Amino acid sequence: MTETGTAFRPGTLDRRLVSAAKASRGALTIALSALLLQGFALVVQALSLATLLSTLVLSKRNPLDTPRPLIAFLVATSIGVLSLAVSQRSLGRAADQTVDALAHDVLSQLAVGVGIESERAGGIAIALTTGLDNLQAYFGRYVPALLHTMLLPPLLLVVIALLDPWSALLLLAGLLALPPILSSVGKRGAAVAGRQWRTLHALSSRYAELLDGLATIRLLRQEAASRHEIESATQSFGVATIAALRVAFRSSLVAEFMAGAAVGLTAMLLGFRLLAGQVPLSHALAILLLAGEVYAPLRRVNAEFHAASSGREAAGMLFGLLDQDIPTVVDGVILLNNELVLKDVTVGLPTGEPLEPLSAVVERGAGLHLTGPSGVGKTTVLEAITRALGKNAALAPQHPYVFSGTLLDNLVLSNPSVDRETLERTLSICQLSELIVALPDGLQTNIGDGGLQLSSGERQRVGLARALLAQRPVLLLDEPGAHLDPETLKALRHALKPVFEHSIVIEVAHNHGVVDCTLTQEVRRSR
């Protein structure tokens, strides 16, 4: 994976983003229907208004003498306003649902223990804040504009062709000439937006690293050098932002000029043909009213393209987080009511090298102990099984990541609605009660990004408590006692025993760990 996680071609990424929008298919269907209705309302508005104006100019009659066009105009206007409101509301809901679903997937992966490296915390924070805002713009503005472009111009061109084929051909020629020109400018814009996002990502990551090492920086008297580094990175981001804005303004100028020229040329030719008596006034007025609307969706797509580029970059990183070093697992992980069946499960390492197939039936209260030399892939096996089981499993990693925030926020990350009684019982089981008392604000103590206020053993017990509080049927433990002293480990084993009697547990441990497993299996590389 690249630094920003955007290891995707634009077409591939767009297809994956569209796939991510499946959760909001109902809202998108409503929005599409409303957009189509809005297009028909626009046609009726133009035709009825053109009829009213031509009647007023040519016959000099009061429009109220022929109320049908006026009534049609008012009804069409009302329908257009209503359909616009419905489409915007539905598209906004679809954007919210899609972005929320993607954010939930990323946070769920981090919460269950498929960890992140501390040096990437700043970049991940940017992806989950600014990145999601940009992605909101992609789904909330760019995608609607794209859908509008697919629906409205063909409808309007058909109506204009029925009124005057020559005007329709002229407008079609301008419409076909615009995308290649905008595409060439857009490629440059996408590259600049990508550079802007990468600069912001690097700045955020470096800033988080410097904050983590602030004490060391002060000890070595490197404050001036660090300040200069941040100032230089901030200036680079400012330059990248100005470059992105410059390309956006240039692209908008090209779009407006081309659309204005095509509409202006159509109006001029219509004027000459109107004077020659080759086209009725009502038709000419209707064409002029509709001509600008033919290009409006494409101009909006161009305007929103640059926000979409930033959204794509953010999505690339978020998908990269979901796909980072994915251990693959072939079919064979089956969860039943009281047991987990591993049937010839083949796990592939990120390097592509497979492990020998695993087969076992792990019943509730029994437990499976995975053994093997360091580096053979035991952690990879746990992560692969976690992914295969999804929301049915919680992983307590050997080095759980502690996020910036309160201790309580970190504990209930996977299950924010957990009740107080369960929380206190879990804290007691994980031998965290004394830690809570020692902290200045108890559970509300801000423990900082990476949990620097906690020892490695305390961080590990926080990760274990987080997994228990997730309340999932399968628990996967990676060296849960690696950083604990013998006394704490003994107390933890005793406290966890009744909990594990009602759980399906798979544990990786070089020694005895915290679970009295009845099954043992060695993890080996395939020969």
Side-chain angles (χ1 to χ4, degrees):
M1 189 180 74
T2 62
E3 176 64 17
T4 60
T6 52
F8 300 95
R9 295 189 301 274
T12 304
L13 184 56
D14 280 329
R15 285 193 294 273
R16 187 160 181 182
L17 284 169
V18 171
S19 178
K22 287 182 178 179
S24 55
R25 188 176 298 171
L28 285 174
T29 302
I30 294 173
L32 278 173
S33 303
L35 287 173
L36 192 59
L37 183 61
Q38 185 184 353
F40 282 110
L42 181 62
V43 170
V44 174
Q45 279 181 282
L47 293 176
S48 57
L49 184 59
T51 302
L52 285 171
L53 292 175
S54 62
T55 301
L56 182 63
V57 171
L58 296 178
S59 61
K60 297 182 180 180
R61 287 184 300 170
N62 190 335
L64 295 178
D65 294 338
T66 54
R68 283 187 178 181
L70 181 59
I71 294 174
F73 176 77
L74 294 176
V75 171
T77 301
S78 301
I79 293 175
V81 171
L82 181 61
S83 60
L84 177 62
V86 170
S87 65
Q88 288 180 341
R89 184 178 180 85
S90 299
L91 287 167
R93 189 185 307 119
D96 290 341
Q97 290 174 348
T98 305
V99 172
D100 288 348
L102 183 56
H104 179 270
D105 289 343
V106 174
L107 290 174
S108 294
Q109 172 167 305
L110 299 179
V112 299
V114 181
I116 58 173
E117 299 86 357
S118 60
E119 64 270 14
R120 300 178 59 217
I124 291 172
I126 283 293
L128 290 172
T129 52
T130 304
L132 287 179
D133 289 341
N134 291 337
L135 202 54
Q136 186 83 22
Y138 178 92
F139 284 110
R141 302 206 306 263
Y142 176 71
V143 171
L146 207 57
L147 294 175
H148 216 177
T149 302
M150 295 168 60
L151 295 174
L152 190 59
L155 173 64
L156 298 184
L157 284 174
V158 169
V159 174
I160 293 173
L162 294 174
L163 297 175
D164 181 39
W166 292 109
S167 296
L169 284 175
L170 184 59
L171 291 171
L172 178 61
L175 194 65
L176 295 177
L178 197 54
I181 298 173
L182 294 180
S183 177
S184 62
V185 180
K187 288 180 180 178
R188 167 68 177 164
V192 171
R195 186 162 58 249
Q196 179 193 21
W197 174 258
R198 289 190 293 272
T199 304
L200 177 60
H201 173 268
L203 171 62
S204 177
S205 297
R206 186 56 182 155
Y207 187 70
E209 291 172 9
L210 291 175
L211 284 179
D212 284 343
L214 192 58
T216 305
I217 291 171
R218 295 187 65 181
L219 181 65
L220 299 177
R221 300 183 183 278
Q222 294 296 310
E223 298 97 326
S226 300
R227 187 184 305 113
H228 176 72
E229 184 179 356
I230 291 296
E231 289 175 352
S232 176
T234 303
Q235 188 175 15
S236 297
F237 176 66
V239 171
T241 301
I242 293 299
L245 290 174
R246 188 181 296 117
V247 173
F249 289 145
R250 188 183 303 152
S251 177
S252 296
L253 179 63
V254 171
E256 293 297 332
F257 175 78
M258 291 287 293
V263 174
L265 184 59
T266 302
M268 182 182 68
L269 293 179
L270 271 176
F272 288 137
R273 297 179 65 215
L274 185 64
L275 291 174
Q278 297 176 357
V279 59
L281 177 61
S282 60
H283 288 191
L285 289 173
I287 292 169
L288 288 177
L289 290 171
L290 294 175
E293 298 299 328
V294 171
Y295 293 94
L298 196 59
R299 297 205 308 269
R300 186 182 168 201
V301 166
N302 176 69
E304 302 296 351
F305 175 79
H306 303 283
S309 298
S310 298
R312 283 194 193 95
E313 291 291 332
M317 181 174 184
L318 293 173
F319 287 138
L321 286 173
L322 291 172
D323 295 343
Q324 58 176 333
D325 297 335
I326 295 178
T328 58
V329 57
V330 178
D331 292 342
V333 180
I334 305 169
L335 179 62
L336 303 176
N337 287 334
N338 294 306
E339 62 185 23
L340 175 67
V341 179
L342 305 178
K343 185 177 181 181
D344 295 327
V345 175
T346 302
V347 176
L349 298 174
T351 59
E353 184 180 0
L355 298 174
E356 286 190 359
L358 296 174
S359 293
V361 177
V362 189
E363 298 179 349
R364 289 185 185 274
L368 171 63
H369 185 197
L370 295 180
T371 64
S374 297
V376 72
K378 299 186 296 296
T379 297
T380 303
V381 171
L382 290 186
E383 291 184 354
I385 294 174
T386 303
R387 284 178 177 273
L389 292 172
K391 296 180 180 180
N392 291 312
L395 171 65
Q398 184 177 357
H399 303 286
Y401 192 82
V402 178
F403 296 90
S404 178
T406 67
L407 179 58
L408 179 61
D409 291 337
N410 276 274
L411 288 168
V412 301
L413 189 62
S414 301
N415 187 9
S417 61
V418 66
D419 60 85
R420 187 76 182 186
E421 181 182 351
T422 303
L423 175 63
E424 292 178 352
R425 184 172 63 252
T426 303
L427 292 175
S428 177
I429 290 172
C430 294
Q431 311 300 302
L432 288 170
S433 299
E434 293 183 5
L435 171 65
I436 306 302
V437 174
L439 290 174
D441 296 318
L443 287 171
Q444 299 301 325
T445 302
N446 193 316
I447 51 180
D449 191 26
L452 298 179
Q453 297 185 36
L454 307 178
S455 68
S456 56
E458 289 168 341
R459 287 196 294 272
Q460 194 166 32
R461 279 177 282 154
V462 168
L464 177 59
R466 182 190 294 166
L468 293 177
L469 288 170
Q471 297 180 337
R472 297 177 183 177
V474 180
L475 284 171
L476 300 107
L477 312 176
D478 189 3
E479 297 283 0
H483 305 292
L484 304 182
D485 60 82
E487 184 178 344
T488 303
L489 179 58
K490 182 179 179 181
L492 186 63
R493 283 174 58 87
H494 178 73
L496 285 171
K497 192 169 184 178
V499 176
F500 291 154
E501 287 178 355
H502 304 284
S503 302
I504 298 172
V505 183
I506 301 178
E507 181 185 32
V508 168
H510 284 288
N511 298 317
H512 297 294
V514 298
V515 184
D516 293 324
C517 296
T518 59
L519 301 174
T520 301
Q521 185 143 2
E522 184 177 358
V523 177
R524 301 190 187 96
R525 300 278 177 97
S526 292
R527 298 175 182 176

